[in-house]
């Protein structure tokens, strides 16, 4: 048993350290779950050991609450890196908790098969809070150079599922799911109403023609996040 003000012992488990965080932050399990976008039922199952602690669950705590991943996993380091504070504590220190759209460790242009089934909790690596970013839509990675310069290799995009019966906004960017491929392309009107043109911004890539009936899923790209790591 971990007392409220007693740090976990070296023999403590990751679950023990999470429980310590909850007490340190003066939250209930349900309130803690809300901060990392985990419902109360699953939060209870994680802490009781009925659901294994996944890397995705750990990453939610690390990214949303500024907690040291090394401390969570091994007990080494300190819970909060220098400059970060554990929410509202004695003395009135506060931080702004990270809330926003879930970011998935998924490359939408790699692999094949239905994309919606890949949106599982264990693949969430954090959240992203930006103006005009719908917090209910998933954020995923795009690789390749076919959409340069509009979408850089490794950029992230916010995607929204679209019914196959919905009208297509020609000239807009979509993630298109076929039986054997997942692609991020501009959809253009074809002279044959039963087909669509998949267009790349990069002129080195040719347009593709596919039957509309071959499209298994369609996601509208609502926001593009290009970034560059300096240094």
């Amino acid at each position: 048993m971990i007392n409220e003000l007693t740090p976990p012992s070296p023999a403590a488990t990751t679950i023990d350290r999470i429980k310590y965080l909850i007490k340190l932050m003066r939250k209930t399990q349900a309130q803690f779950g809300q901060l990392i976008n985990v419902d109360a039922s699953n939060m209870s199952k994680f802490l009781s050991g009925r659901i294994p602690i996944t890397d995705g669950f750990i990453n939610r705590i690390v990214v949303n609450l500024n907690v040291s991943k090394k401390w969570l996993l091994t007990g080494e380091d300190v819970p909060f890196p220098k400059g970060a504070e554990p929410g509202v504590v004695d003395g009135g220190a506060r931080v702004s908790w990270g809330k926003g759209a879930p970011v998935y460790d998924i490359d939408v242009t790699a692999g094949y098969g239905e994309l919606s089934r890949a949106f599982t909790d264990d693949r969430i690596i954090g959240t992203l809070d930006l103006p005009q970013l719908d917090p209910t839509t998933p954020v995923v990675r795009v690789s390749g150079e076919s959409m340069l310069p509009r979408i850089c290799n490794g950029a992230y995009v916010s995607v929204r599922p679209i019914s196959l019966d919905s009208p297509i906004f020609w000239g807009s960017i979509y993630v298109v799911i076929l039986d054997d491929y997942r692609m991020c392309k501009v959809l253009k009107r074809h002279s044959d109403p039963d087909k669509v043109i998949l267009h790349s911004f990069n002129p080195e890539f040719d347009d593709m023609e596919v039957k509309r009936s071959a499209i298994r899923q369609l996601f509208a790209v609502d926001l593009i996040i290009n970034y560059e790591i300096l240094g």
Side-chain angles (χ1 to χ4, degrees):
M1 177 68 67
I2 298 174
N3 296 324
E4 182 172 359
L5 298 179
T6 303
S9 71
T13 66
T14 294
I15 291 177
D16 290 332
R17 286 185 281 273
I18 295 172
K19 290 179 178 178
Y20 170 75
L21 279 179
I22 294 172
K23 290 183 178 181
L24 183 66
M25 295 169 59
R26 290 168 171 77
K27 302 292 184 183
T28 65
Q29 288 185 14
Q31 289 170 338
F32 187 86
Q34 288 179 343
L35 294 175
I36 60 173
N37 297 318
V38 173
D39 66 61
S41 175
N42 282 337
M43 192 70 213
S44 176
K45 292 175 182 177
F46 276 120
L47 294 180
S48 66
R50 285 180 289 168
I51 297 180
I53 298 294
T54 63
D55 197 52
F57 179 72
I58 291 295
N59 284 336
R60 283 176 180 243
I61 299 174
V62 171
V63 174
N64 289 357
L65 307 182
N66 297 317
V67 174
S68 164
K69 187 171 185 177
K70 183 177 181 180
W71 177 82
L72 276 173
L73 295 177
T74 68
E76 300 176 17
D77 199 7
V78 293
F80 296 91
K82 186 176 180 180
E85 298 291 342
V88 179
V89 297
D90 291 340
R94 295 175 180 268
V95 297
S96 177
W97 301 109
K99 293 183 178 180
V103 180
Y104 289 84
D105 186 19
I106 295 172
D107 189 331
V108 294
T109 52
Y112 59 92
E114 292 186 13
L115 184 59
S116 57
R117 293 185 179 181
F119 295 139
T120 54
D121 282 353
D122 64 316
R123 303 195 72 170
I124 295 177
I125 57 175
T127 59
L128 188 61
D129 188 7
L130 291 174
Q132 300 180 344
L133 177 58
D134 185 344
T136 67
T137 58
V139 176
V140 292
R141 188 172 56 253
V142 176
S143 64
E145 300 180 347
S146 68
M147 297 298 280
L148 288 172
R150 185 71 182 278
I151 302 178
C152 297
N153 181 22
Y156 283 84
V157 295
S158 171
V159 296
R160 174 171 43 88
I162 300 295
S163 169
L164 296 180
D165 297 326
S166 299
I168 292 175
F169 292 91
W170 304 112
S172 296
I173 304 173
Y174 291 85
V175 172
V176 183
I177 312 299
L178 306 176
D179 281 336
D180 299 321
Y181 299 97
R182 297 198 300 235
M183 296 175 285
C184 185
K185 299 292 181 184
V186 175
L187 289 192
K188 289 193 170 185
R189 191 189 302 271
H190 196 283
S191 57
D192 182 346
D194 292 329
K195 296 181 180 180
V196 296
I197 297 173
L198 306 183
H199 174 73
S200 301
F201 283 115
N202 189 337
E204 295 185 6
F205 289 76
D206 294 332
D207 287 349
M208 300 174 60
E209 298 181 358
V210 299
K211 292 183 177 181
R212 296 186 69 160
S213 60
I215 298 175
R216 302 307 179 206
Q217 286 184 307
L218 203 57
F219 293 79
V221 173
D222 288 336
L223 192 71
I224 301 168
I225 304 110
N226 290 313
Y227 68 95
E228 180 179 358
I229 299 176
L230 302 176

